[in-house]
Amino acid sequence: MSQVGFYGLGSMGICMALNLQKHLQETKQPSLHYSNRTLSKGETLKAAGGVEEPNYAALVKSCDIIFTMISNDKVLNNLVDVALLAGSIRGKIFVDTSTVHPDTAVQSSEKLTNAGASFIASPVFGANAMAASGKLIFALAGPRAVTDLVKPLILNVMGRSIIELGEDVSKSSMLKIAGNVIVIGLMEVISEVQVFAEKVGLGTTIMEKMIADMFGPVAESYSKRLTTGCYAPPHGTTPGFGISLAIKDAKHAISIANGHDMRLNVSEAALSHMLNARSYAGENLDSSSMYGTIRQESGLPFWSENSRQCI
């Protein structure tokens, strides 16, 4: 049996890893090995039977299939370099579930393939709640022989569906970035309409009911990130999706669009609002915190009655 590993235990990664460990136990496969920059974040995984490795190099050495869920392109580049220095990686399969630039995915694939390993780019769609319930959507691209090997570790384990994009790993990264254009655009539009509702006297509760009835539970969930104050959570509370990650994703999308002679006008507006929110209130904000900036631009406080009330 293959030894499976997982690196990157942020708010998404820990949920994914726990579901993967549960599956391995239920199917009587070797326990998941894991590592993370901050090892203490793996305590719940250790309690569930996971096996801690001291660092990524040790994880690579001990595992045949290694999943990663990390924050940005720089981290992935560093992990690839570490893997290449960890000894022979011939035959190993690296599965990155993060959102990175398509060029980064291609470069990672080339480096690992040249060393005899395989690389699968499989960024995921879905927030923390979907990760916890094993309902993420995986955009999967890589060599067919190895994607078939990892699918049983994904479907009905960490994800509810797989979108297959062939062997070109840039395609899955591009699809994820395209999906983020929709998500960021929805957050921008819903932020605007909720501020509009407050300014004209309709109120956010009525507007949220209309959003739910007209556009369904996904749009309603985005609205609730605003109305419940999750866009600016209390200090010490992890945002649902951190603002710096969303800024990174928006910049990737805008850069790629500009390279293809087009503009993403809504994404550009959202990026500006997120940058202003981070400048005003710091890093501990959700990607939906463009809502605070739009409130300010409309003469309202950045903070709502349900959000935290301080910088």
Side-chain angles (χ1 to χ4, degrees), residues 123-149:
V124 298
F125 294 95
N128 290 358
M130 291 175 66
S133 61
K135 301 297 184 183
L136 295 169
I137 300 167
F138 283 69
L140 189 73
R144 180 63 181 270
V146 293
T147 56
D148 285 346
L149 290 176

PDB file of all heavy atoms in Angstrom, residues 123-149:
ATOM      1  N   PRO A 123      -6.272  22.268  -7.517  1.00  0.00           N
ATOM      2  CA  PRO A 123      -6.845  23.265  -6.615  1.00  0.00           C
ATOM      3  C   PRO A 123      -8.305  22.957  -6.318  1.00  0.00           C
ATOM      4  O   PRO A 123      -8.987  22.304  -7.125  1.00  0.00           O
ATOM      5  CB  PRO A 123      -6.691  24.584  -7.391  1.00  0.00           C
ATOM      6  CG  PRO A 123      -6.571  24.170  -8.822  1.00  0.00           C
ATOM      7  CD  PRO A 123      -5.876  22.846  -8.809  1.00  0.00           C
ATOM      8  N   VAL A 124      -8.768  23.422  -5.180  1.00  0.00           N
ATOM      9  CA  VAL A 124     -10.114  23.070  -4.727  1.00  0.00           C
ATOM     10  C   VAL A 124     -11.023  24.291  -4.675  1.00  0.00           C
ATOM     11  O   VAL A 124     -10.579  25.409  -4.429  1.00  0.00           O
ATOM     12  CB  VAL A 124     -10.077  22.395  -3.337  1.00  0.00           C
ATOM     13  CG1 VAL A 124      -9.292  21.095  -3.407  1.00  0.00           C
ATOM     14  CG2 VAL A 124      -9.480  23.312  -2.275  1.00  0.00           C
ATOM     15  N   PHE A 125     -12.298  24.029  -4.924  1.00  0.00           N
ATOM     16  CA  PHE A 125     -13.341  25.032  -4.765  1.00  0.00           C
ATOM     17  C   PHE A 125     -14.112  24.714  -3.487  1.00  0.00           C
ATOM     18  O   PHE A 125     -14.514  23.566  -3.272  1.00  0.00           O
ATOM     19  CB  PHE A 125     -14.314  25.008  -5.945  1.00  0.00           C
ATOM     20  CG  PHE A 125     -13.712  25.424  -7.256  1.00  0.00           C
ATOM     21  CD1 PHE A 125     -13.229  24.478  -8.141  1.00  0.00           C
ATOM     22  CD2 PHE A 125     -13.630  26.761  -7.610  1.00  0.00           C
ATOM     23  CE1 PHE A 125     -12.688  24.849  -9.354  1.00  0.00           C
ATOM     24  CE2 PHE A 125     -13.088  27.149  -8.821  1.00  0.00           C
ATOM     25  CZ  PHE A 125     -12.616  26.195  -9.700  1.00  0.00           C
ATOM     26  N   GLY A 126     -14.335  25.740  -2.670  1.00  0.00           N
ATOM     27  CA  GLY A 126     -15.113  25.556  -1.455  1.00  0.00           C
ATOM     28  C   GLY A 126     -14.437  26.183  -0.263  1.00  0.00           C
ATOM     29  O   GLY A 126     -13.209  26.304  -0.222  1.00  0.00           O
ATOM     30  N   ALA A 127     -15.241  26.575   0.713  1.00  0.00           N
ATOM     31  CA  ALA A 127     -14.731  27.217   1.921  1.00  0.00           C
ATOM     32  C   ALA A 127     -14.551  26.175   3.024  1.00  0.00           C
ATOM     33  O   ALA A 127     -14.698  24.974   2.810  1.00  0.00           O
ATOM     34  CB  ALA A 127     -15.694  28.321   2.365  1.00  0.00           C
ATOM     35  N   ASN A 128     -14.234  26.656   4.232  1.00  0.00           N
ATOM     36  CA  ASN A 128     -13.907  25.763   5.347  1.00  0.00           C
ATOM     37  C   ASN A 128     -15.001  24.743   5.647  1.00  0.00           C
ATOM     38  O   ASN A 128     -14.717  23.575   5.936  1.00  0.00           O
ATOM     39  CB  ASN A 128     -13.629  26.591   6.607  1.00  0.00           C
ATOM     40  CG  ASN A 128     -12.342  27.370   6.502  1.00  0.00           C
ATOM     41  OD1 ASN A 128     -11.635  27.274   5.502  1.00  0.00           O
ATOM     42  ND2 ASN A 128     -12.038  28.143   7.517  1.00  0.00           N
ATOM     43  N   ALA A 129     -16.250  25.182   5.615  1.00  0.00           N
ATOM     44  CA  ALA A 129     -17.347  24.269   5.943  1.00  0.00           C
ATOM     45  C   ALA A 129     -17.405  23.108   4.962  1.00  0.00           C
ATOM     46  O   ALA A 129     -17.663  21.957   5.353  1.00  0.00           O
ATOM     47  CB  ALA A 129     -18.677  25.024   5.950  1.00  0.00           C
ATOM     48  N   MET A 130     -17.156  23.382   3.690  1.00  0.00           N
ATOM     49  CA  MET A 130     -17.152  22.321   2.687  1.00  0.00           C
ATOM     50  C   MET A 130     -15.948  21.407   2.872  1.00  0.00           C
ATOM     51  O   MET A 130     -16.035  20.194   2.659  1.00  0.00           O
ATOM     52  CB  MET A 130     -17.168  22.926   1.285  1.00  0.00           C
ATOM     53  CG  MET A 130     -18.460  23.607   0.928  1.00  0.00           C
ATOM     54  SD  MET A 130     -18.406  24.448  -0.673  1.00  0.00           S
ATOM     55  CE  MET A 130     -18.226  23.066  -1.792  1.00  0.00           C
ATOM     56  N   ALA A 131     -14.811  21.984   3.282  1.00  0.00           N
ATOM     57  CA  ALA A 131     -13.629  21.160   3.557  1.00  0.00           C
ATOM     58  C   ALA A 131     -13.900  20.230   4.735  1.00  0.00           C
ATOM     59  O   ALA A 131     -13.539  19.047   4.709  1.00  0.00           O
ATOM     60  CB  ALA A 131     -12.423  22.050   3.840  1.00  0.00           C
ATOM     61  N   ALA A 132     -14.537  20.748   5.773  1.00  0.00           N
ATOM     62  CA  ALA A 132     -14.816  19.946   6.965  1.00  0.00           C
ATOM     63  C   ALA A 132     -15.759  18.794   6.659  1.00  0.00           C
ATOM     64  O   ALA A 132     -15.618  17.692   7.218  1.00  0.00           O
ATOM     65  CB  ALA A 132     -15.396  20.830   8.061  1.00  0.00           C
ATOM     66  N   SER A 133     -16.713  19.023   5.772  1.00  0.00           N
ATOM     67  CA  SER A 133     -17.699  17.982   5.458  1.00  0.00           C
ATOM     68  C   SER A 133     -17.275  17.101   4.293  1.00  0.00           C
ATOM     69  O   SER A 133     -18.031  16.216   3.882  1.00  0.00           O
ATOM     70  CB  SER A 133     -19.055  18.634   5.140  1.00  0.00           C
ATOM     71  OG  SER A 133     -18.950  19.494   4.016  1.00  0.00           O
ATOM     72  N   GLY A 134     -16.069  17.325   3.759  1.00  0.00           N
ATOM     73  CA  GLY A 134     -15.580  16.511   2.646  1.00  0.00           C
ATOM     74  C   GLY A 134     -16.316  16.765   1.350  1.00  0.00           C
ATOM     75  O   GLY A 134     -16.440  15.869   0.512  1.00  0.00           O
ATOM     76  N   LYS A 135     -16.776  18.012   1.147  1.00  0.00           N
ATOM     77  CA  LYS A 135     -17.596  18.338  -0.018  1.00  0.00           C
ATOM     78  C   LYS A 135     -16.907  19.300  -0.986  1.00  0.00           C
ATOM     79  O   LYS A 135     -17.574  19.976  -1.781  1.00  0.00           O
ATOM     80  CB  LYS A 135     -18.931  18.936   0.439  1.00  0.00           C
ATOM     81  CG  LYS A 135     -19.757  18.041   1.347  1.00  0.00           C
ATOM     82  CD  LYS A 135     -20.186  16.770   0.666  1.00  0.00           C
ATOM     83  CE  LYS A 135     -21.105  15.941   1.563  1.00  0.00           C
ATOM     84  NZ  LYS A 135     -21.469  14.643   0.929  1.00  0.00           N
ATOM     85  N   LEU A 136     -15.600  19.383  -0.945  1.00  0.00           N
ATOM     86  CA  LEU A 136     -14.884  20.263  -1.859  1.00  0.00           C
ATOM     87  C   LEU A 136     -15.000  19.767  -3.301  1.00  0.00           C
ATOM     88  O   LEU A 136     -15.307  18.592  -3.553  1.00  0.00           O
ATOM     89  CB  LEU A 136     -13.408  20.342  -1.465  1.00  0.00           C
ATOM     90  CG  LEU A 136     -13.096  20.983  -0.113  1.00  0.00           C
ATOM     91  CD1 LEU A 136     -11.640  20.755   0.261  1.00  0.00           C
ATOM     92  CD2 LEU A 136     -13.419  22.482  -0.135  1.00  0.00           C
ATOM     93  N   ILE A 137     -14.741  20.673  -4.233  1.00  0.00           N
ATOM     94  CA  ILE A 137     -14.685  20.325  -5.655  1.00  0.00           C
ATOM     95  C   ILE A 137     -13.225  20.430  -6.087  1.00  0.00           C
ATOM     96  O   ILE A 137     -12.594  21.477  -5.896  1.00  0.00           O
ATOM     97  CB  ILE A 137     -15.573  21.262  -6.490  1.00  0.00           C
ATOM     98  CG1 ILE A 137     -17.030  21.149  -6.030  1.00  0.00           C
ATOM     99  CG2 ILE A 137     -15.454  20.935  -7.974  1.00  0.00           C
ATOM    100  CD1 ILE A 137     -17.924  22.250  -6.581  1.00  0.00           C
ATOM    101  N   PHE A 138     -12.683  19.370  -6.654  1.00  0.00           N
ATOM    102  CA  PHE A 138     -11.280  19.320  -7.057  1.00  0.00           C
ATOM    103  C   PHE A 138     -11.160  19.497  -8.571  1.00  0.00           C
ATOM    104  O   PHE A 138     -11.814  18.776  -9.336  1.00  0.00           O
ATOM    105  CB  PHE A 138     -10.656  17.977  -6.665  1.00  0.00           C
ATOM    106  CG  PHE A 138     -10.321  17.847  -5.204  1.00  0.00           C
ATOM    107  CD1 PHE A 138     -11.330  17.759  -4.247  1.00  0.00           C
ATOM    108  CD2 PHE A 138      -9.012  17.807  -4.777  1.00  0.00           C
ATOM    109  CE1 PHE A 138     -11.030  17.633  -2.897  1.00  0.00           C
ATOM    110  CE2 PHE A 138      -8.690  17.683  -3.429  1.00  0.00           C
ATOM    111  CZ  PHE A 138      -9.705  17.593  -2.488  1.00  0.00           C
ATOM    112  N   ALA A 139     -10.345  20.452  -8.989  1.00  0.00           N
ATOM    113  CA  ALA A 139     -10.017  20.630 -10.407  1.00  0.00           C
ATOM    114  C   ALA A 139      -8.706  19.893 -10.658  1.00  0.00           C
ATOM    115  O   ALA A 139      -7.639  20.346 -10.236  1.00  0.00           O
ATOM    116  CB  ALA A 139      -9.888  22.110 -10.744  1.00  0.00           C
ATOM    117  N   LEU A 140      -8.768  18.754 -11.319  1.00  0.00           N
ATOM    118  CA  LEU A 140      -7.666  17.795 -11.361  1.00  0.00           C
ATOM    119  C   LEU A 140      -6.990  17.770 -12.729  1.00  0.00           C
ATOM    120  O   LEU A 140      -7.649  17.578 -13.750  1.00  0.00           O
ATOM    121  CB  LEU A 140      -8.206  16.405 -11.033  1.00  0.00           C
ATOM    122  CG  LEU A 140      -7.207  15.276 -10.808  1.00  0.00           C
ATOM    123  CD1 LEU A 140      -6.507  15.448  -9.465  1.00  0.00           C
ATOM    124  CD2 LEU A 140      -7.930  13.935 -10.842  1.00  0.00           C
ATOM    125  N   ALA A 141      -5.657  17.946 -12.737  1.00  0.00           N
ATOM    126  CA  ALA A 141      -4.894  17.843 -13.981  1.00  0.00           C
ATOM    127  C   ALA A 141      -3.529  17.238 -13.690  1.00  0.00           C
ATOM    128  O   ALA A 141      -2.892  17.571 -12.690  1.00  0.00           O
ATOM    129  CB  ALA A 141      -4.731  19.213 -14.634  1.00  0.00           C
ATOM    130  N   GLY A 142      -3.099  16.363 -14.585  1.00  0.00           N
ATOM    131  CA  GLY A 142      -1.800  15.721 -14.442  1.00  0.00           C
ATOM    132  C   GLY A 142      -1.767  14.447 -15.249  1.00  0.00           C
ATOM    133  O   GLY A 142      -2.751  14.093 -15.922  1.00  0.00           O
ATOM    134  N   PRO A 143      -0.659  13.727 -15.200  1.00  0.00           N
ATOM    135  CA  PRO A 143      -0.546  12.476 -15.968  1.00  0.00           C
ATOM    136  C   PRO A 143      -1.655  11.496 -15.608  1.00  0.00           C
ATOM    137  O   PRO A 143      -1.902  11.229 -14.436  1.00  0.00           O
ATOM    138  CB  PRO A 143       0.832  11.938 -15.558  1.00  0.00           C
ATOM    139  CG  PRO A 143       1.579  13.135 -15.065  1.00  0.00           C
ATOM    140  CD  PRO A 143       0.568  14.029 -14.444  1.00  0.00           C
ATOM    141  N   ARG A 144      -2.312  10.954 -16.613  1.00  0.00           N
ATOM    142  CA  ARG A 144      -3.486  10.097 -16.389  1.00  0.00           C
ATOM    143  C   ARG A 144      -3.159   8.913 -15.477  1.00  0.00           C
ATOM    144  O   ARG A 144      -3.973   8.529 -14.619  1.00  0.00           O
ATOM    145  CB  ARG A 144      -4.007   9.597 -17.741  1.00  0.00           C
ATOM    146  CG  ARG A 144      -5.232   8.695 -17.660  1.00  0.00           C
ATOM    147  CD  ARG A 144      -6.427   9.451 -17.079  1.00  0.00           C
ATOM    148  NE  ARG A 144      -7.599   8.608 -16.982  1.00  0.00           N
ATOM    149  CZ  ARG A 144      -8.506   8.474 -17.946  1.00  0.00           C
ATOM    150  NH1 ARG A 144      -8.352   9.126 -19.099  1.00  0.00           N
ATOM    151  NH2 ARG A 144      -9.562   7.714 -17.780  1.00  0.00           N
ATOM    152  N   ALA A 145      -1.988   8.330 -15.657  1.00  0.00           N
ATOM    153  CA  ALA A 145      -1.638   7.140 -14.874  1.00  0.00           C
ATOM    154  C   ALA A 145      -1.648   7.424 -13.379  1.00  0.00           C
ATOM    155  O   ALA A 145      -2.021   6.561 -12.574  1.00  0.00           O
ATOM    156  CB  ALA A 145      -0.268   6.619 -15.307  1.00  0.00           C
ATOM    157  N   VAL A 146      -1.251   8.637 -12.978  1.00  0.00           N
ATOM    158  CA  VAL A 146      -1.185   8.938 -11.547  1.00  0.00           C
ATOM    159  C   VAL A 146      -2.465   9.609 -11.034  1.00  0.00           C
ATOM    160  O   VAL A 146      -2.814   9.454  -9.869  1.00  0.00           O
ATOM    161  CB  VAL A 146       0.058   9.783 -11.188  1.00  0.00           C
ATOM    162  CG1 VAL A 146       1.326   8.972 -11.393  1.00  0.00           C
ATOM    163  CG2 VAL A 146       0.123  11.070 -11.980  1.00  0.00           C
ATOM    164  N   THR A 147      -3.165  10.335 -11.899  1.00  0.00           N
ATOM    165  CA  THR A 147      -4.429  10.914 -11.439  1.00  0.00           C
ATOM    166  C   THR A 147      -5.416   9.801 -11.084  1.00  0.00           C
ATOM    167  O   THR A 147      -6.186   9.920 -10.132  1.00  0.00           O
ATOM    168  CB  THR A 147      -5.060  11.860 -12.472  1.00  0.00           C
ATOM    169  OG1 THR A 147      -5.243  11.181 -13.718  1.00  0.00           O
ATOM    170  CG2 THR A 147      -4.185  13.089 -12.696  1.00  0.00           C
ATOM    171  N   ASP A 148      -5.380   8.699 -11.823  1.00  0.00           N
ATOM    172  CA  ASP A 148      -6.253   7.572 -11.499  1.00  0.00           C
ATOM    173  C   ASP A 148      -5.918   6.975 -10.132  1.00  0.00           C
ATOM    174  O   ASP A 148      -6.804   6.457  -9.442  1.00  0.00           O
ATOM    175  CB  ASP A 148      -6.133   6.488 -12.577  1.00  0.00           C
ATOM    176  CG  ASP A 148      -6.852   6.859 -13.866  1.00  0.00           C
ATOM    177  OD1 ASP A 148      -7.662   7.815 -13.840  1.00  0.00           O
ATOM    178  OD2 ASP A 148      -6.605   6.211 -14.901  1.00  0.00           O
ATOM    179  N   LEU A 149      -4.642   7.060  -9.738  1.00  0.00           N
ATOM    180  CA  LEU A 149      -4.232   6.519  -8.443  1.00  0.00           C
ATOM    181  C   LEU A 149      -4.725   7.366  -7.278  1.00  0.00           C
ATOM    182  O   LEU A 149      -5.024   6.836  -6.202  1.00  0.00           O
ATOM    183  CB  LEU A 149      -2.703   6.412  -8.382  1.00  0.00           C
ATOM    184  CG  LEU A 149      -2.037   5.342  -9.258  1.00  0.00           C
ATOM    185  CD1 LEU A 149      -0.530   5.452  -9.144  1.00  0.00           C
ATOM    186  CD2 LEU A 149      -2.494   3.948  -8.838  1.00  0.00           C
TER     187      LEU A 149
END
